[in-house]
Amino acid sequence: DFEVMMTVSQKASSQHSALEKASGRMRANKEVVLCAMAAGDKLMFASEALRDDEEVVLAALAGPGYKQMEHVSKRLLRDKDVALAAATHGQALSYFPELSKDPEVVSAFVSRGGHNFKSADQSLKSDREFVMENAGHQILEFASKSLQADRDVVRAAVRACGTEIRYASEDLKNDKELVLEAINNFGTRAERLSDHILNANWGWVGDQMRCDKQVVMAAARVSKFKAGELQSAAPELRNDGEFVMALALSVNQPESIMKLASDGLRDDKSFAIQACKQHKVN
């Protein structure tokens, strides 16, 4: 019964499908299926012809249902309008391999999530202009090696999100100006910044930067620095009494001076006395 089916379709949800139990005639009825899609029903239960209908597919994408792209016809997966609509509704570029060379389509997807750039054609991953224009969407990870070594591209990326420095070439990870710019743009990841900068296991910056006093000091100031994080720092920094003291004081943690110091410094009488004085003064 058409009216009954319409009512049931309106009450469909992503957990309970009205179309699944419907007759073949109802599954092929466009009005019923459109109603079901708007209510979150599953496209997989629509007829094959309607899964190839652009209006139905767009309704499915706009509705609250999930995993709808897996049941769209191959023809519509080559349709640019469907792809752009899918991007708007948070779907993945990987469903549209034949459109992965289209700058407009790819840009629409990466604006919703930089991870989509992984599915872009290599021609766009090597396109300097495209990567520069979309650098703010955290796509450097999937750009070509040559662009990861391009200073202007990396600068654009770290200005938008400092954590992108981890995808730069090894040479640029040792570029002090770029690393400092990245540190100042870590945003919500700043809390773990010192660990990411100091710990060689992360590989976010080059060896030279982990030994650079200005870089380490900047990372400590930006992050919620924890004394234990300096355990991962280069030995020469932890052996530098003047630096250790300056670092602790710069982050208002005079009580951490001895924790930050190397074992050798802790056994140094003059350093220990100076550390105690600083703790007392502050």
Side-chain angles (χ1 to χ4, degrees), residues 241-242 245 257 269-279:
E242 184 178 341
M245 205 160 295
I257 292 175
K269 182 179 177 180
S270 61
F271 177 81
I273 291 173
Q274 194 175 359
C276 291
K277 286 180 179 179
Q278 289 291 347
H279 191 182

Side-chain angles (χ1 to χ4, degrees), residues 9 12-19 33-47 50-74 76-77 82 85-86 89-92 95-96:
S9 294
S13 70
S14 58
Q15 287 77 36
H16 304 286
S17 171
L19 287 179
V33 172
L34 283 172
C35 185
M37 294 303 101
D41 211 325
K42 299 177 177 65
L43 183 62
M44 64 183 293
F45 297 121
S47 68
L50 290 182
R51 294 199 301 273
D52 189 47
D53 184 292
E54 183 172 338
E55 184 181 0
V56 170
V57 168
L58 293 179
L61 292 175
Y66 64 101
K67 295 185 178 179
Q68 303 287 44
M69 290 305 310
E70 299 171 10
H71 308 291
V72 175
S73 70
K74 291 182 179 179
L76 290 181
L77 291 178
V82 171
H89 294 295
Q91 299 293 334
Y95 287 113
F96 300 92

Side-chain angles (χ1 to χ4, degrees), residues 28 36 41 76 102 121 126 143 161 207 222 230 244-245:
D41 211 325
L76 290 181
D102 188 302
D121 188 79
S126 302
C161 179
D207 292 340
V222 171
L230 198 62
V244 168
M245 205 160 295

Side-chain angles (χ1 to χ4, degrees), residues 35-36 75 136 162 165 170 172 189 192 198 212 233 243 245-246 281:
C35 185
R75 181 185 71 84
I165 191 68
E170 290 304 313
L172 293 183
R189 300 290 293 274
R192 298 198 64 189
L198 293 171
D212 188 283
F243 172 75
M245 205 160 295
V281 168

